[in-house]
Amino acid sequence: MLPKIEYSCPQTLEELFEILEKYKEQAKVLAGGTDLLVSLRDRIEKARHIVDIKKIKELEKLEYREGEGLVIGATVTLRKILESRVVKERYPVLWEAVRTIGDMILKNRATLVGNICNASPAADSAPALLILEAKVRILSREGFREVPIENFFTGVKKTILKPWEIVKEVFVPEPPRNHFGRYLKMMRVMSEDLSVVGVAGLGYREGGDVKIRLAYSSVAPTPLRIREAEEAFLKPGTIEEKIERAVQIAAEKVSPISDVRGSAEYRLHLVKVLTRRLLKQIVEVV
Amino acid sequence: MKYVGKSIQRIDAFEKVTGSAEYAGDIELPGMLYTKLLLSPYAHAKIKSIDFSDALKVPGVITIAIGEDFPFRIGLYVNDRNILARKKVRWVGEPVAAVVAENLEAAEEAIELIKVDYEPLPPVLDVRDALKPDAPLVHEELGEYAHSPAFNPIPGTNIANRFVVKKGNVEEGFKKSDVIVENEFLMPQVSHVPMEPHTCIGQYMKDGSIKIWTSAQSPFAIRYILGYSLGVPLHKISVYVPYVGGGFGGKAGINFEPLVVLLSKKAGYRPVKLELTREEQFMVAPVRQGFYGKIKTGVTRDGKIMAEKILYVFDAGAYADYGVNIGRAAGYSCTGPYYVPNLEGESLTVYTNHPWGTAFRGFGHFEFLWAIERQMEIVAAEIGMDPIEFRLKNALLPGLTTPTGEKLREDAGRIDQCIKAVAEKIGWGTPPVKITPNKIRAKGIAALWKAPAMPPNAASSAIIKLNEDGTFLLSVGVTEIGQGTVTALAQIVAEELSVPVEKIKVVPFRHTDLTPYSWQTVASRNLFMEGRAVIRAARDVKEQILEVASQVLRVPKDDLEIEDEKVYVKGRPEWSLQLKDIAAGYVYPNGNTIGGPIIGRGYYVGSRLTYLDPETGQGYPALKWTFGAQAVEIELDTETGEIKILKLVSAFDVGKAINPMLVEGQIVGGCVQSISLGMWEEYKYDKNGRMINPNLTDYKIARAGDIPEEHIVVIIENPQKDGPYGARGVGELSMLSVPPAIANAIFHATGVNINNLPLSFENIWKALKEKR
Amino acid sequence: MEKKKIIFKINGVEKTVEVEPNKTLLWLIREVLKLKGTKKACERGDCGLCTVLLNGEPVKSCLVLAVEVDGSEIVTVEGLSRDGELTPIQKAFIEHGALQCGFCTPAFVIVGHWLLNRNPNPSREEVVEALNGVLCRCTGYRPIIEAILDVAKKRK
C-alpha cells in the first residue's frame, strides 16, 4: 500500500507555490502519477505531501506557433501529444518517442513533463527533446527561468529542479527546416517496454552539408546528447566514413551499465547498430 | 452427435464478461483479519533470534507468528516444508514471520518493525554445484522427512529424488552407433505469473474444525495434506474454491492454506486472509524448477537412434514437495516421442537456495523437450539428414515401447501424423531466405509428447442430479482455472442424456463437503478422467430414469429411449413421460408415488497403471499419451538478435475434440505462454541469490503485441478407445516444444546452436557473436 | 492522515465518500464500493487488470489516487451492461472464446468499449496497440483481438 501522505489540489499557481514553499523537500508534484505512485509504493520517493497540479489552468497548454515553436504544459498527457497533428507533422521524432512510452492506457495519465522530471536515464521523450533543443521553463514564486534541456538532468532520477520550483512547460523551438527525425528504441519484447537503448536522431541540410543531431536513452546516468558525434559527422569524407566516425564517437561517449534489461556490452553494441541505422536513414532522406 | 464435437460457448462466460465471477480475493468474511509476511533477505542463513515486541505495539495488530509457533511439516510428496521458516531460511523470500492485523496497513507497518538476527550460511545457487560432494546441505534432516514411497530422497546430499530408467544395453547400443553426439542444455527458473496472485482465507473454528477459501487447483489435495500434517480428521476440514484466476500448476499443490488456518487459531479463531502482492507472487510463491540436461545420443549413419544416455537435473529450490514428481515425470518420458532401444536415464530433483519449485503446465516436459528437441536437430545435422526425416524414422509409433517398457497401444495417437502436418503447413523444405543483409527468415520444427504425471490411483468422480423441473446439476471436483473442462463435461452430459446444454448447470465452485472427489486439477487428466466419471454418472441417471419409467409406462427398460427431455417407448413416441415427472418420484393420479430423487454417480481410475520399478523405472505410468508438433517461421535480425515469429503451426492428436473452440483456445493460449517463457522469462539473481526482477516491469511476459503474426492450429483426431468419446488431454501439451522449434529455426538460419534458455534478443546476439 | 470528502459518479450513481489520501481509486472501487469486477494484480501499472473508465478514458486505477476523482465520472465493468443484457463487446468475447480464467476479462472488456467508442473501425494494429496495456496469461490474446475486430465489422 501507499505510505501515509497528505494531499492538496491547488487551483492556482499562487496556491501551489505556497504549498511548495511550506513543505519544501516534503512536497512532491503529482500530475499523471504513473511514476510517482509507483515510487511512493516502493518507498523510493520519500516526500509525503502530494500536490496535485491538474486543476491549474496555466499548466494545460499545448500550443504551437508558426515560426516560434511548441509549448507543452506540465499537465499535458502523452495521449494529447500523440493526437496532435502539429506534433506528428512538425516534430515527428518527438511524436515517435512519445508513442513508445508505456501503453495506451498509461498515456491517458502520463505527461511529457512528468517523463522528464522523473529523470530516468530511460526517459524516452528526453533524447527527442535533446535533439530538438527544447527549453525547460521553470517557475517558482521567485520567478521564471528557462533552461536548455541539456542542462536539466543532473544524474539518475536527478534534475536541477529545486523543491519549491515546478516545470511549467517545455518549449520546443521550430526544428530545422525540412529535417528528418526518428527515435529508434530497442526493447526486450516487441510490445511495450522500457528501452534497452534508445537513439533519437535528426538530420537536415544547411548549405551543402548534411548536419545531424544525436541523443540517447539508457546509456548513461542521464539522457545524453552527443555533440562530439554530430561534429565528427560534419568533417569531410564519404558518407560511410562520416557515419562510421559518428558511430565510433557515440560509442566512446556512452557509459552504459548492466542491469535487468541488458548488459553494458549489449548496450554498447546497440548504440553502434542503432546509430548506424538511424544515420543511414537520415542521409537517405535528407 | 448433437453436443459433443460442437464449439458451444463456455458455460462460465456470462459471469466472467460481466465481472460477476467470484474469485478468492473477492471474498470478505465477518471479522476478517489480514496477514502480511516478513521475508528472508538471505538465501541461506541461521535464524538466531526474532524480536517483534515493537511490531506488536502497532495499533490494529492482533498477533505475530514465527516458525516455532507452528511445529508442523507439510509437503505433497516429501514432507520437507515448514509453515514459516524454522531454525534457518533457505531462500530469499522465505516467510520468516507473519503479522495478523485488523487491516493491511497495520500489518505492513508492523512488518517493518520486526528485527531478525541472522547468521549467513554459504548458499547453493547453482543446481550443478548442489550435486558436488562438498556442497552445503539445504536440508540436513532430509533422512527424517516422511515421503511417498514412489520417491527416493538421498539423505546427506541435496538430492530430493533420484529416478532411474534402464532399457536394453546402452554400451552395446553405442557400439553399434556410427555417430555419437553429446550436448548440455539449460533452462532458468520461471514464474507461472497467474493473473490472480495466490489468495487464501483460513478460519480455525472453536470446535476444532477448519474452513478454507482459496485460489487453488486441488481442494482435495489441500484437505488431505492439511489433515495429515495437523492431525485433523478430514470431515472437520472444508475447502472452498471459487473461480481460479489462472493456475498453470502454481496453485496445484498446497501453498499458504496451512499458514492462514494456523494464524486464525492464533488470532482468536477469526478468519485470516492472505493476498500476495505481485512482488510476493514472484518471491514467495513457488516457481517452475530450473533445468540442466546432458544427453548423449548414438545413431547410425542411416538415422536410427541406437542408444541414449540421459541426465536431467531439476533445480527444486528450497523445497521439493511437488518437484520430486517433476523429475520423475521427465525421467519416464525422457526420450521424447521417439523409440530408443537402449536407454539409461537418470533424473534428479535437487535442492538449492532458490525459490521452491512446483508444478507448471507440462511439468518436466517443457524443460526436457527443450533439450531433446534441440538434440534431435543437432544429431540430424551431424549425420546430414533432414530433421523431419530423422524424427519420422525414430517416431514412437503404436506397438513400439516407451522408455518404461510400455508397449504403446494401437489407439495411442500418432506422432508421425503431427510432425507431417506441421511440416506441410509451414512449408518445410525451403532454405532460409535473406530479406535484407541482416535479416534472415528460416523455419524450425519440434515434436512433443506427454502423459499425465500422477500416481496410479489418482481418481475422479462425478455426481449428476435431476432437478424437479427436468434440468440437471453436474458436480465435479475438477476446478475451473480457465481451461474450460467443465464446459466440455456439460457437453458430455448433454450428449449422454439428450438434454440441451442450457439445461445443465455445472456447480461453479468446489467445496470439499459437497463436491465429489477429484485427486487434483493437473496433468491434462481431467477431461479424460472426469469425462469417464461423468459418462458413468450419466448412465447411472439414465438407469434410474428407465427404472421408474418402465413401471409407469409398463414396458421393459430396454424398450425405452430418452430423448429431448422425455422418456418414451421406442416406436411409440406417444407413450412417454416428461423427465420432470419422475425427477423426484412419479406420482400417480391418486397420489401413489414410486421412485425418488434421481442422483447419478460415477467414478474413474486409470486402468492397470503401476508403480515404476525403483531400479529400472520399468512399468506402466501413463493413462494416455498425447502427441504433438510445433513448427515456426522466424525472421532473425543477425545484428541485434531480435526475432519475430512470422508463423506458428501447431498440431495435436487430441483423440476427439469435445469442443473445438476450447481446444483451439488452449493451443493458441498455451503457445503464447510457451513463446513468452522461451524468449523472455527468467528469474534473474544477484550474486547473493536475491531475485532482481520480481515485478512485471522487469520480468516481461507476452503482451498482445508479442504474439505470432499467424498461427495455424491442426487438430488430429485418432480416438483413444477408453477416452471419453475418444478424447485425450491437451491443456498442458499446448505449451510444449515451441522454444526448441524457434532455436532450431535459428540454427537453420545461422548454423548456431543455442542450448540455453531464454532465447532473449541479447542471448541470441551473444550466441551469434561467439560464432563469428 | 486526514480523510477527504469526495463526490463522484460511478456507473451512473452519485456517491459521497470520505477517503484517506493514500488510498487508490482501485482501493475505493474494491474495498469501499465493493465492486469486485475490477481486479487487483500488480498495483504498479504493469498489468492493467484494474483498468476502468475515468471521465470516459481508460486509466489503471491502481495509479490514480481516490482523492483525485472528486467531481469525476467512473465506469467499471459492472456499469457496462444494464439489466442483464450484454453489450456487443461482451457477446463477442463469449462467441470468440476470448476468455479463459476470466481474471483479466473485465479489463479487456473495458478497453474494448473505449476503443470502439473512440475509433469505430480500428485496424488490427490499432486494436493490438490498445490492448498492449493489459496482460492475459491464458488466451494468447488472439481471440480477444478478433472479438473486438468482429464487433467493429458487424457494426459497419
Side-chain angles (χ1 to χ4, degrees):
Chain A
M1 299 190 96
L2 297 176
K4 291 192 168 72
I5 49 175
E6 287 167 42
Y7 170 86
S8 50
C9 187
Q11 310 280 321
T12 65
L13 285 170
E14 194 48 41
E15 284 175 56
L16 168 65
F17 291 128
E18 218 167 275
I19 296 164
L20 291 182
E21 270 178 27
K22 186 172 162 197
Y23 292 98
K24 301 204 170 61
E25 283 82 0
Q26 273 302 304
K28 189 76 187 176
V29 166
L30 166 71
T34 53
D35 284 320
L36 177 61
L37 264 59
V38 177
S39 333
L40 279 169
R41 181 174 174 271
D42 290 349
R43 306 298 191 264
I44 292 166
E45 176 57 59
K46 303 288 181 210
R48 292 292 176 263
H49 193 105
I50 303 306
V51 195
D52 187 348
I53 58 170
K54 286 193 288 296
K55 295 263 161 73
I56 301 172
K57 289 270 173 282
E58 289 94 326
L59 306 177
E60 288 174 359
K61 202 191 279 179
L62 176 65
E63 204 175 85
Y64 171 74
R65 281 197 195 173
E66 183 93 44
E68 283 179 33
L70 176 73
V71 171
I72 303 170
T75 59
V76 174
T77 62
L78 300 178
R79 161 100 182 278
K80 286 224 172 74
I81 296 171
L82 269 190
E83 285 177 353
S84 154
R85 268 183 69 171
V86 159
V87 176
K88 191 173 180 180
E89 284 164 12
R90 303 270 170 158
Y91 303 90
V93 62
L94 179 62
W95 188 86
E96 191 174 17
V98 165
R99 195 168 170 213
T100 72
I101 305 174
D103 56 63
M104 291 281 271
I105 306 170
L106 287 175
K107 284 189 186 83
N108 280 321
R109 297 290 287 182
T111 62
L112 179 116
V113 169
N115 192 234
I116 65 163
C117 287
N118 185 47
S120 159
D124 287 305
S125 70
L129 292 171
L130 278 165
I131 61 168
L132 291 168
E133 301 187 335
K135 310 265 190 300
V136 183
R137 290 176 170 172
I138 296 169
L139 204 57
S140 70
R141 204 174 235 177
E142 286 152 22
F144 174 83
R145 58 181 180 138
E146 188 175 271
V147 180
I149 189 155
E150 228 172 325
N151 302 340
F152 183 70
F153 304 109
T154 55
V156 177
K157 297 251 171 189
K158 289 197 182 99
T159 69
I160 58 165
L161 214 58
K162 303 280 190 310
W164 54 88
E165 292 179 322
I166 63 154
V167 172
K168 177 174 183 266
E169 60 205 22
V170 169
F171 171 72
V172 196
E174 282 284 359
R177 195 175 274 279
N178 294 326
H179 83 288
F180 171 79
R182 288 212 62 189
Y183 181 60
L184 301 187
K185 175 174 169 179
M186 182 72 186
M187 305 187 288
R188 287 168 298 171
V189 294
M190 288 164 283
S191 55
E192 180 272 322
D193 193 9
L194 299 168
S195 69
V196 179
V197 169
V199 188
L202 65 77
Y204 56 98
R205 265 183 197 280
E206 202 175 79
D209 292 329
V210 174
K211 291 192 166 176
I212 59 154
R213 295 178 196 164
L214 286 170
Y216 297 80
S217 63
S218 297
V219 298
T222 67
L224 190 67
R225 180 168 174 188
I226 305 184
R227 287 176 186 270
E228 295 88 340
E230 300 169 4
E231 284 151 18
F233 182 88
L234 257 188
K235 288 183 188 150
T238 66
I239 286 291
E240 286 71 27
E241 284 166 0
K242 283 157 143 311
I243 291 177
E244 279 318 304
R245 253 189 338 247
V247 166
Q248 287 318 316
I249 298 215
E252 282 163 28
K253 294 290 168 190
V254 297
S255 50
I257 56 160
S258 295
D259 66 12
V260 78
R261 295 196 298 284
S263 68
E265 190 197 4
Y266 187 46
R267 286 197 158 105
L268 187 62
H269 171 73
L270 289 174
V271 165
K272 293 182 201 164
V273 172
L274 298 184
T275 306
R276 193 176 293 126
R277 286 182 183 180
L278 189 53
L279 291 179
K280 278 184 182 164
Q281 283 187 33
I282 287 174
V283 295
E284 243 170 58
V285 177
V286 174
Chain B
M1 280 181 289
K2 230 167 151 180
Y3 304 103
V4 163
K6 303 286 187 301
S7 289
I8 69 151
Q9 297 169 357
R10 296 178 67 101
I11 57 174
D12 52 354
F14 186 96
E15 284 178 275
K16 287 178 175 177
V17 297
T18 54
S20 54
E22 181 194 55
Y23 299 86
D26 304 336
I27 298 171
E28 293 179 9
L29 298 168
M32 192 166 83
L33 300 169
Y34 298 84
T35 185
K36 189 82 191 163
L37 308 175
L38 177 69
L39 310 183
S40 163
Y42 291 100
H44 200 190
K46 268 189 197 152
I47 300 170
K48 291 173 71 183
S49 64
I50 303 178
D51 174 6
F52 51 82
S53 48
D54 288 343
L56 269 177
K57 290 179 200 149
V58 173
V61 169
I62 304 289
T63 187
I64 294 174
I66 60 170
E68 299 310 322
D69 290 324
F70 307 136
F72 308 100
R73 278 211 191 89
I74 50 167
L76 196 65
Y77 295 116
V78 177
N79 241 30
D80 60 4
R81 196 145 51 89
N82 295 308
I83 309 286
L84 292 166
R86 291 168 70 195
K87 295 192 181 76
K88 68 176 196 172
V89 289
R90 294 183 171 88
W91 90 89
V92 178
E94 176 157 22
V96 173
V99 175
V100 179
E102 294 284 353
N103 58 69
L104 206 50
E105 271 178 295
E108 283 187 1
E109 201 183 323
I111 280 288
E112 304 286 324
L113 300 174
I114 300 176
K115 296 184 247 345
V116 185
D117 190 12
Y118 295 98
E119 182 190 321
L121 298 168
V124 195
L125 299 173
D126 185 306
V127 75
R128 289 161 291 183
D129 293 341
L131 286 171
K132 291 179 181 158
D134 57 343
L137 290 182
V138 181
H139 290 266
E140 294 85 353
E141 339 67 331
L142 184 55
E144 296 162 28
Y145 298 161
H147 62 85
S148 146
F151 299 101
N152 310 300
I154 305 177
T157 74
N158 285 315
I159 298 172
N161 184 47
R162 179 168 183 265
F163 178 85
V164 178
V165 63
K166 281 182 185 153
K167 183 181 161 191
N169 186 324
V170 174
E171 295 318 315
E172 284 298 309
F174 282 123
K175 270 186 211 153
K176 287 184 193 149
S177 306
D178 300 317
V179 177
I180 293 172
V181 181
E182 189 173 39
N183 286 292
E184 292 177 282
F185 307 88
L186 278 175
M187 195 196 129
Q189 290 175 310
V190 290
S191 170
H192 308 76
V193 196
M195 284 300 104
E196 173 202 36
H198 285 262
T199 302
C200 54
I201 307 168
Q203 187 168 16
Y204 215 109
M205 310 302 285
K206 286 181 181 162
D207 67 357
S209 63
I210 289 170
K211 290 183 182 174
I212 294 169
W213 298 255
T214 181
S215 66
Q217 293 171 226
S218 309
F220 289 94
I222 289 173
R223 188 179 68 159
Y224 180 78
I225 295 163
L226 193 73
Y228 173 84
S229 292
L230 303 189
V232 177
L234 296 192
H235 73 292
K236 291 203 154 196
I237 303 174
S238 319
V239 182
Y240 174 87
V241 175
Y243 286 117
V244 176
F248 315 115
K251 297 170 183 171
I254 183 164
N255 290 300
F256 306 97
E257 293 85 1
L259 173 65
V260 287
V261 164
L262 292 166
L263 287 175
S264 164
K265 191 176 184 183
K266 198 162 191 294
Y269 302 94
R270 286 167 70 180
V272 173
K273 185 180 204 175
L274 172 70
E275 268 184 289
L276 294 191
T277 63
R278 182 57 60 186
E279 290 85 350
E280 288 164 347
Q281 175 70 38
F282 277 109
M283 297 190 66
V284 188
V287 305
R288 178 169 222 132
Q289 301 189 126
F291 169 81
Y292 162 82
K294 189 170 163 185
I295 305 173
K296 183 174 159 186
T297 307
V299 64
T300 60
R301 280 267 162 233
D302 63 352
K304 266 285 177 206
I305 298 175
M306 297 309 294
E308 211 146 49
K309 196 167 172 177
I310 291 173
L311 171 67
Y312 295 151
V313 183
F314 287 87
D315 179 354
Y319 297 107
D321 69 354
Y322 213 124
V324 291
N325 196 28
I326 295 166
R328 173 181 167 272
Y332 69 65
S333 316
C334 64
T335 56
Y338 308 105
Y339 174 64
V340 179
N342 303 297
L343 172 68
E344 219 177 278
E346 187 181 4
S347 186
L348 305 175
T349 303
V350 176
Y351 291 116
T352 65
N353 293 113
H354 278 154
W356 57 295
T358 191
F360 189 154
R361 201 174 188 176
F363 70 51
H365 292 65
F366 181 82
E367 300 87 334
F368 89 75
L369 284 164
W370 162 247
I372 277 287
E373 288 299 316
R374 284 266 51 238
Q375 175 79 352
M376 290 298 285
E377 206 73 9
I378 298 168
V379 173
E382 285 286 334
I383 57 169
M385 184 175 275
D386 178 272
I388 301 265
E389 194 191 335
F390 179 56
R391 283 184 174 82
L392 290 175
K393 211 161 201 167
N394 294 286
L396 189 61
L397 298 175
L400 295 171
T401 55
T402 67
T404 69
E406 172 195 342
K407 190 175 131 193
L408 212 55
R409 48 190 293 158
E410 286 307 312
D411 58 358
R414 294 288 292 269
I415 183 63
D416 55 333
Q417 291 177 12
C418 296
I419 293 172
K420 284 177 190 163
V422 297
E424 189 209 318
K425 297 273 183 209
I426 202 78
W428 184 257
T430 57
V433 184
K434 244 187 176 175
I435 305 295
T436 69
N438 57 290
K439 281 203 173 146
I440 310 179
R441 289 184 176 181
K443 293 163 189 168
I445 200 160
L448 60 98
W449 76 333
K450 188 182 181 292
M454 60 183 212
N457 66 339
S460 290
S461 57
I463 294 171
I464 300 173
K465 297 183 196 173
L466 175 56
N467 296 322
E468 304 89 288
D469 63 352
T471 60
F472 288 91
L473 196 72
L474 168 65
S475 189
V476 281
V478 51
T479 47
E480 175 47 73
I481 59 176
Q483 82 283 41
T485 305
V486 294
T487 299
L489 295 177
Q491 286 173 267
I492 290 175
V493 174
E495 194 67 51
E496 288 290 325
L497 296 172
S498 186
V499 58
V501 175
E502 304 79 64
K503 299 219 166 170
I504 300 160
K505 175 183 181 178
V506 183
V507 181
F509 57 84
R510 309 292 165 260
H511 191 308
T512 50
D513 289 359
L514 310 168
T515 304
Y517 178 83
S518 184
W519 170 64
Q520 289 199 27
T521 300
V522 290
S524 307
R525 65 177 271 277
N526 296 92
L527 176 64
F528 194 103
M529 298 190 71
E530 254 77 4
R532 284 296 303 273
V534 163
I535 289 173
R536 285 182 176 164
R539 290 181 184 167
D540 187 15
V541 164
K542 216 169 175 173
E543 194 56 33
Q544 293 176 41
I545 291 170
L546 296 181
E547 185 75 43
V548 179
S550 90
Q551 290 183 56
V552 177
L553 296 171
R554 284 159 288 165
V555 295
K557 279 195 284 188
D558 42 11
D559 283 358
L560 292 172
E561 186 91 25
I562 299 175
E563 210 178 308
D564 297 332
E565 301 165 71
K566 271 195 273 228
V567 52
Y568 63 90
V569 179
K570 286 176 194 164
R572 285 273 183 199
E574 67 273 23
W575 295 347
S576 72
L577 279 172
Q578 300 277 335
L579 292 189
K580 67 181 166 63
D581 294 333
I582 50 176
Y586 179 80
V587 186
Y588 286 94
N590 74 348
N592 291 170
T593 304
I594 61 164
I598 290 174
I599 301 173
R601 155 279 180 174
Y603 64 82
Y604 186 75
V605 293
S607 303
R608 303 186 64 157
L609 300 181
T610 68
Y611 295 112
L612 300 179
D613 185 284
E615 304 298 322
T616 65
Q618 299 296 290
Y620 280 70
L623 179 69
K624 60 181 166 71
W625 292 97
T626 304
F627 294 93
Q630 310 271 15
V632 294
E633 183 177 10
I634 61 160
E635 186 175 285
L636 167 68
D637 184 325
T638 52
E639 258 185 329
T640 60
E642 283 169 281
I643 45 175
K644 227 187 332 189
I645 299 177
L646 304 172
K647 187 173 173 180
L648 171 62
V649 184
S650 310
F652 291 91
D653 191 342
V654 302
K656 170 77 190 170
I658 305 286
N659 183 324
M661 178 175 84
L662 291 180
V663 172
E664 187 158 330
Q666 283 301 297
I667 295 171
V668 168
C671 284
V672 168
Q673 202 175 55
S674 186
I675 290 167
S676 186
L677 256 65
M679 288 178 62
W680 304 303
E681 299 184 33
E682 175 179 16
Y683 269 58
K684 292 192 174 183
Y685 296 103
D686 67 13
K687 62 179 187 339
N688 300 316
R690 183 185 187 81
M691 186 190 188
I692 59 168
N693 55 341
N695 59 60
L696 293 165
T697 311
D698 294 328
Y699 184 107
K700 300 297 284 185
I701 70 168
R703 291 178 183 270
D706 297 311
I707 68 174
E709 288 181 10
E710 188 187 357
H711 187 179
I712 297 174
V713 174
V714 183
I715 295 174
I716 296 168
E717 295 182 311
N718 291 306
Q720 178 147 331
K721 293 196 175 72
D722 61 348
Y725 294 87
R728 291 182 203 94
V730 73
E732 302 173 296
L733 282 293
S734 60
M735 83 166 298
L736 303 178
S737 283
V738 184
I742 298 170
N744 292 344
I746 295 171
F747 171 65
H748 291 299
T750 62
V752 174
N753 278 309
I754 303 179
N755 292 346
N756 300 345
L757 286 176
L759 299 166
S760 67
F761 301 158
E762 177 168 356
N763 286 350
I764 294 170
W765 167 74
K766 265 189 196 142
L768 298 184
K769 190 182 67 148
E770 274 159 26
K771 191 214 166 191
R772 275 189 204 118
Chain C
M1 249 181 323
E2 205 184 317
K3 283 191 174 180
K4 298 235 171 199
K5 188 167 121 181
I6 54 172
I7 303 172
F8 56 93
K9 256 188 173 180
I10 185 152
N11 300 330
V13 180
E14 193 173 285
K15 298 268 179 189
T16 305
V17 169
E18 294 218 331
V19 63
E20 289 158 328
N22 72 335
K23 297 300 191 293
T24 61
L25 173 58
L26 172 60
W27 189 88
L28 176 71
I29 291 169
R30 280 186 65 84
E31 306 304 322
V32 179
L33 305 170
K34 307 290 181 195
L35 294 168
K36 303 290 190 182
T38 304
K39 298 303 181 198
K40 178 176 82 175
C42 83
E43 296 175 277
R44 48 180 288 134
D46 289 322
C47 75
L49 264 62
C50 63
T51 300
V52 298
L53 299 179
L54 178 60
N55 299 324
E57 301 294 337
V59 297
K60 298 187 177 183
S61 61
C62 69
L63 293 185
V64 178
L65 294 176
V67 287
E68 289 181 80
V69 306
D70 188 26
S72 304
E73 204 165 330
I74 299 153
V75 176
T76 67
V77 67
E78 290 89 347
L80 292 177
S81 60
R82 295 285 154 87
D83 306 324
E85 176 66 20
L86 296 179
T87 66
I89 287 272
Q90 288 171 322
K91 284 182 192 159
F93 268 58
I94 296 177
E95 281 162 24
H96 286 263
L99 58 117
Q100 288 184 23
C101 84
F103 205 70
C104 67
T105 310
F108 278 107
V109 167
I110 286 275
V111 175
H113 273 263
W114 166 73
L115 176 67
L116 293 187
N117 278 341
R118 169 173 171 264
N119 178 1
N121 192 22
S123 66
R124 195 178 182 94
E125 287 67 36
E126 285 168 326
V127 174
V128 168
E129 203 176 341
L131 299 185
N132 267 339
V134 186
L135 287 173
C136 168
R137 192 63 154 170
C138 299
T139 65
Y141 303 101
R142 188 174 89 173
I144 301 174
I145 297 167
E146 281 166 4
I148 292 171
L149 284 171
D150 193 36
V151 175
K153 200 174 116 194
K154 281 181 182 152
R155 273 191 193 164
K156 260 199 286 185

